[in-house]
Amino acid sequence: MALRVPPPSLYSSSVTCSNPQRCFFATCFIRIPVSPIRLSCRNLLKSSRLHERSRLYALNPNGPNSENGKTTALKTHESGGGDDGGGGGGGGDGDDGKTEKGTGPLPEWLNFNADDAKTIIAAVAVSLAFRTFVAEPRYIPSLSMYPTFDVGDRIVAEKVSYYFRKPCANDIVIFKSPPALQEIGYSDDDVFIKRIIAKEGDIVEVRDGKLIVNGVSRNENFIYEAPKYEMSQIVVPKDYVFVMGDNRNNSYDSHIWGPLPLKNILGRSVLRYWPPTRAGTTVFPEGCAPELRETMSTP
């Protein structure tokens, strides 16, 4: 809608204005009677003054001569305040729009995604499968197998070969405690290490400081000393083996609690990896002991 301009007689033809920026609005105060035009001019001038005052305050709230005017203007602009003093909805605090990285209850290296979880689960599964079906490390806690093993030695016991053959004499095996030991307080989790000296069907005895199997004295150059005890003949039952420690006089083995069930055997010692100075294979060089039996001469 166009404004109706009053006749020229109602206002002066010449206007002096001290502020050029306000010359446009000066005409509103020169002999203009109360009319819609005068009210519109008055409102327009008032709005212009408020706008200018707000802009000046935003630039320098401490006055035009303040030394902090420039800094205040930067902070006001960065905090989301407009030139017209409105808004400010950003709620900024002068950090130039930067946000701090949130810190959770766990350190950064423990934060992982679904792919990391899958990798960890797969690694654990492979490790458990390897330990259960292939091989596992073991620690020697006693002197029952001295001098073959000393306290603190660490070995690897493999579990693959017994899938294809039965344990034989001279194998060094690790096994779970048999029922005879569990009856006196050992648990199924307790693991022992001994050497097999006879298998099912063999007749074992200890006499005169010698181990005799099927009537034949064994030549054992790996033991610490000759046994100082006597043991009467024992027939090894089916699916059992007879085990003894290489430190014959300081070993809690089959000569005390009887034959060992095959199902309790966990694996066969094949490697000592600690200490490094004694690292090497633990497999008997001659392999399984020969199956020799005493021959009876006939007249």
Side-chain angles (χ1 to χ4, degrees):
M1 177 184 296
L3 293 176
R4 297 181 60 187
V5 181
S9 61
L10 295 179
Y11 54 87
S12 174
S13 59
S14 63
V15 178
T16 59
C17 183
S18 61
N19 191 340
Q21 295 180 353
R22 301 180 183 179
C23 285
F24 174 77
F25 304 101
T27 58
C28 296
F29 296 94
I30 305 300
R31 299 177 184 178
I32 299 177
V34 177
S35 65
I37 296 177
R38 184 174 181 178
L39 291 177
S40 299
C41 289
R42 183 177 299 175
N43 292 336
L44 183 62
L45 179 60
K46 184 177 180 181
S47 175
S48 175
R49 288 179 178 177
L50 290 176
H51 172 77
E52 182 179 5
R53 187 179 304 168
S54 175
R55 184 174 62 85
L56 291 174
Y57 180 79
L59 291 175
N60 191 355
N62 297 323
N65 298 324
S66 173
E67 296 179 356
N68 297 327
K70 186 175 181 181
T71 303
T72 306
L74 290 174
K75 289 186 177 180
T76 304
H77 178 71
E78 291 169 357
S79 62
D83 288 345
D84 57 354
D93 56 358
D95 287 338
D96 198 18
K98 295 181 180 179
T99 58
E100 296 183 358
K101 191 172 183 180
T103 56
L106 298 177
E108 185 176 354
W109 63 272
L110 282 180
N111 294 329
F112 52 88
N113 54 28
D115 292 336
D116 296 331
K118 292 178 182 178
T119 302
I120 294 174
I121 293 174
V124 172
V126 170
S127 177
L128 292 176
F130 185 87
R131 185 182 179 93
T132 303
F133 301 106
V134 181
E136 66 175 290
R138 284 291 174 176
Y139 170 83
I140 305 300
S142 70
L143 290 171
S144 66
M145 284 293 294
Y146 187 81
T148 303
F149 296 128
D150 203 348
V151 174
D153 286 0
R154 297 180 182 273
I155 65 168
V156 174
E158 63 88 13
K159 305 181 178 183
V160 178
S161 61
Y162 291 157
Y163 295 144
F164 306 100
R165 69 172 180 86
K166 290 185 177 181
C168 66
N170 285 341
D171 283 352
I172 300 175
V173 295
I174 61 172
F175 56 92
K176 298 184 297 182
S177 56
L181 293 182
Q182 294 184 27
E183 291 175 0
I184 60 176
Y186 289 96
S187 70
D188 193 55
D189 296 329
D190 293 322
V191 177
F192 301 87
I193 182 168
K194 304 293 179 186
R195 186 186 296 272
I196 297 177
I197 57 96
K199 55 183 182 57
E200 61 180 44
D202 291 339
I203 302 173
V204 185
E205 64 177 316
V206 176
R207 184 175 67 243
D208 299 331
K210 294 182 180 181
L211 173 67
I212 302 173
V213 180
N214 298 325
V216 178
S217 177
R218 287 279 180 85
N219 181 19
E220 301 177 304
N221 55 6
F222 47 79
I223 66 173
Y224 179 60
E225 58 184 357
K228 299 178 181 179
Y229 55 85
E230 302 285 327
M231 185 186 74
S232 57
Q233 289 185 352
I234 296 178
V235 178
V236 182
K238 184 180 180 180
D239 295 330
Y240 281 75
V241 291
F242 203 89
V243 296
M244 300 180 76
D246 291 350
N247 191 355
R248 294 291 162 82
N249 297 309
N250 293 280
S251 176
Y252 192 56
D253 52 34
S254 290
H255 89 274
I256 297 175
W257 44 261
L260 171 71
L262 288 175
K263 65 181 181 181
N264 285 56
I265 295 177
L266 299 174
R268 175 178 68 126
S269 173
V270 293
L271 175 69
R272 173 176 40 230
Y273 65 91
W274 190 266
T277 55
R278 302 179 61 218
T281 181
T282 59
V283 178
F284 195 64
E286 300 177 4
C288 297
E291 297 184 7
L292 299 178
R293 292 183 178 271
E294 183 181 23
T295 58
M296 300 295 296
S297 58
T298 57

